Amino acid sequence: ITQDNRGFPYVERIKTLIDNELQLQNKAILVLGAGGFTLTQGLKNPNHFTYVDIDPDLENIVRKHFVKHIQGEVVVQDARVFVKNSPKQYDFIVNDVYNNPSAIPSHLLTQEYYEELYRILKPEGTIAFNFILNPTLETNYAKRNDNTLRSVFKSCMSMPTAYSPTRPTNVLYVCRKAWND
């Protein structure tokens, strides 16, 4: 995060979506994969955030070196376990789960996982997925991720943060539950 509370371009795009485009206020927002807890930094509108991350040391490291105040509840748990056991539904979900700078754990790329996310998304809810992949879907990995996601969330917008037919980049998929019913 920068001095002016700005994060990576895809994080800033999600912030714009939450604050300006959807104008969410006093909504339940779930963030799977806490990253550096930067999503809430600099937001104008008040919302209720729940961050879920598997790393038990992350919160202390971030508070010590990067972000002093984390807005919201922090849950230390595997994202799939949390989602499967959640009785609560959310207005907005961010799925940004990585186990290294470019790989998503395979159990978080399945149709079953996406169905569980669909279940905990409110009827008028929106979900944003961050993938690092080829934005033109010219690799098997990119095609498979796209196909699996769209088998559950049928109508999604995909927005690459940069265009490159040969290099992976962050691609945000934004899906609304209402578009799928």
Side-chain angles (χ1 to χ4, degrees):
I1 192 163
T2 64
Q3 293 289 344
D4 60 346
N5 286 326
R6 295 188 59 82
F8 288 110
Y10 79 91
V11 173
E12 292 306 309
R13 183 66 186 97
I14 295 170
K15 286 181 182 181
T16 299
L17 185 62
I18 291 170
D19 252 3
N20 301 337
E21 294 165 5
L22 295 174
Q23 299 180 358
L24 298 179
Q25 290 190 30
N26 300 311
K27 300 295 185 181
I29 298 177
L30 175 64
V31 182
L32 300 164
F37 302 96
T38 59
L39 184 63
T40 53
Q41 303 304 305
L43 286 178
K44 299 175 287 199
N45 298 333
N47 286 291
H48 310 285
F49 285 85
T50 302
Y51 282 101
V52 177
D53 201 283
I54 198 167
D55 186 348
D57 299 322
L58 182 64
E59 181 179 6
N60 290 333
I61 291 168
V62 168
R63 283 185 191 274
K64 184 175 180 182
H65 298 287
F66 302 106
V67 176
K68 301 298 180 216
H69 174 71
I70 296 171
Q71 179 189 334
E73 174 189 5
V74 178
V75 177
V76 177
Q77 193 170 46
D78 177 81
R80 186 156 183 176
V81 172
F82 180 88
V83 169
K84 184 165 184 62
N85 295 320
S86 178
K88 185 174 178 179
Q89 287 192 308
Y90 295 87
D91 299 285
F92 192 91
I93 299 173
V94 176
N95 191 75
D96 188 23
V97 288
Y98 283 83
N99 59 2
N100 72 47
S102 62
I104 298 173
S106 61
H107 71 290
L108 302 178
L109 289 169
T110 66
Q111 187 176 39
E112 293 80 11
Y113 175 64
Y114 296 148
E115 288 168 348
E116 289 293 334
L117 287 171
Y118 188 88
R119 179 186 61 79
I120 67 167
L121 189 62
K122 287 187 178 176
E124 294 298 320
T126 302
I127 187 166
F129 295 87
N130 176 46
F131 293 111
I132 298 173
L133 47 76
N134 177 290
T136 58
L137 304 179
E138 293 178 27
T139 65
N140 285 334
Y141 178 77
K143 283 182 211 170
R144 286 183 182 129
N145 282 340
D146 185 81
N147 288 340
T148 304
L149 178 65
R150 290 178 190 274
S151 73
V152 176
F153 291 94
K154 309 253 185 282
S155 297
C156 299
M157 295 181 292
S158 59
M159 301 176 282
T161 57
Y163 173 76
S164 171
T166 59
R167 198 177 74 235
T169 188
N170 292 89
V171 178
L172 283 178
Y173 281 74
V174 178
C175 315
R176 286 185 40 96
K177 191 170 187 176
W179 296 341
N180 292 282
D181 294 335

